[in-house]
Amino acid sequence: MSTGRERGGYAKGRERRDAILAAANEVFATRGFRGASLATIAKRVGLSEPGLLHHFASKEELLLELLTLRDQHDDQRITEARAAHVGALEVLLELCRQNADRPGIVRLFTILAAESVDDDHPAHDWFLDRYSLRRQQTAEGLAAAQREGHIAADLDVQTLATQILAMFDGLQIQWLLDPESVDMVAVFEDFLARLRPR
């Protein structure tokens, strides 16, 4: 039987892990994985590097935990957007609107995705799998929308899914670089409108 002290210790450990993940998010988003150090992350939460390693065995483990949490959050956002909107195009636009309110998360994803093209990057396989899954999910949503007449019938949904992800990510880079000049949501909405039947 667990005691209150054990439950309190678990809660405190969970809070410390969450604080480490939040600090890692900021440091990785600023410096990338290769430029970030465990010492810098530990300092932000008032720990020594060995103290941080008590919670995460390595910088690689910390990165993958952060990416897993981000993906779980994205899955939840996608589910909620699907529940709130009728069509696949509306869901995609809603996700774009949400990203416009989360520059820190978008920056983290953009930097790590670019770094992960190197085969030896610890997140290489994670991003490879993620893009494969997102292309498949997007194509399935587009195929359903096409059957319902919301997307032009002559468009190949597999190709279109890849194009949409490329548009999403490319727009985010331009927006991060120059948010005053690039209205990410308006440009993406215009792009999606072109996919509808004429």
Side-chain angles (χ1 to χ4, degrees):
M1 180 172 151
S2 65
T3 66
R5 180 178 295 175
E6 288 170 344
R7 286 193 299 272
Y10 175 81
K12 191 169 185 178
R14 181 71 254 176
E15 286 175 14
R16 183 55 59 95
R17 282 177 63 88
D18 290 346
I20 293 168
L21 287 164
N25 186 83
E26 293 173 10
V27 174
F28 288 147
T30 304
R31 302 182 185 186
F33 175 78
R34 301 202 191 281
S37 72
L38 286 178
T40 301
I41 296 167
K43 186 176 179 183
R44 289 194 178 208
V45 291
L47 287 173
S48 64
E49 189 171 332
L52 186 150
L53 290 169
H54 173 73
H55 297 277
F56 295 94
S58 65
K59 188 167 77 164
E60 289 79 6
E61 181 184 303
L62 177 56
L63 172 67
L64 293 175
E65 174 80 10
L66 186 62
L67 290 172
T68 299
L69 285 174
R70 183 198 188 280
D71 225 28
Q72 288 171 353
H73 185 255
D74 278 356
D75 287 342
Q76 182 181 346
R77 289 194 312 132
I78 291 167
T79 299
E80 290 171 356
R82 284 179 177 156
H85 298 278
V86 174
L89 300 185
E90 289 75 17
V91 169
L92 290 165
L93 185 58
E94 174 60 23
L95 295 172
C96 183
R97 285 192 188 104
Q98 290 177 18
N99 281 0
D101 292 329
R102 303 162 7 127
I105 297 293
V106 172
R107 182 181 171 88
L108 171 72
F109 178 85
T110 301
I111 289 173
L112 294 177
E115 280 187 341
S116 77
V117 298
D118 291 338
D119 291 349
D120 63 345
H121 192 280
H124 177 81
D125 290 343
W126 186 91
F127 275 100
L128 201 61
D129 292 344
R130 183 185 190 280
Y131 272 110
S132 177
L133 177 62
R134 293 299 186 224
R135 282 193 302 271
Q136 177 189 337
Q137 290 172 332
T138 303
E140 289 170 359
L142 294 170
Q146 198 171 50
R147 288 191 297 273
E148 294 162 1
H150 301 303
I151 294 175
D154 61 340
L155 295 176
D156 178 78
V157 295
Q158 297 292 335
T159 300
L160 186 55
T162 302
Q163 291 170 338
I164 285 173
L165 294 179
M167 171 65 81
F168 223 108
D169 292 352
L171 262 177
Q172 288 182 159
I173 292 171
Q174 293 183 61
W175 172 69
L176 287 168
L177 287 167
D178 192 1
E180 298 302 317
S181 300
V182 178
D183 185 336
M184 179 168 67
V185 176
V187 173
F188 194 56
E189 186 171 20
D190 178 75
F191 169 73
L192 294 178
R194 297 165 190 264
L195 307 180
R196 298 185 184 280
R198 297 295 178 188

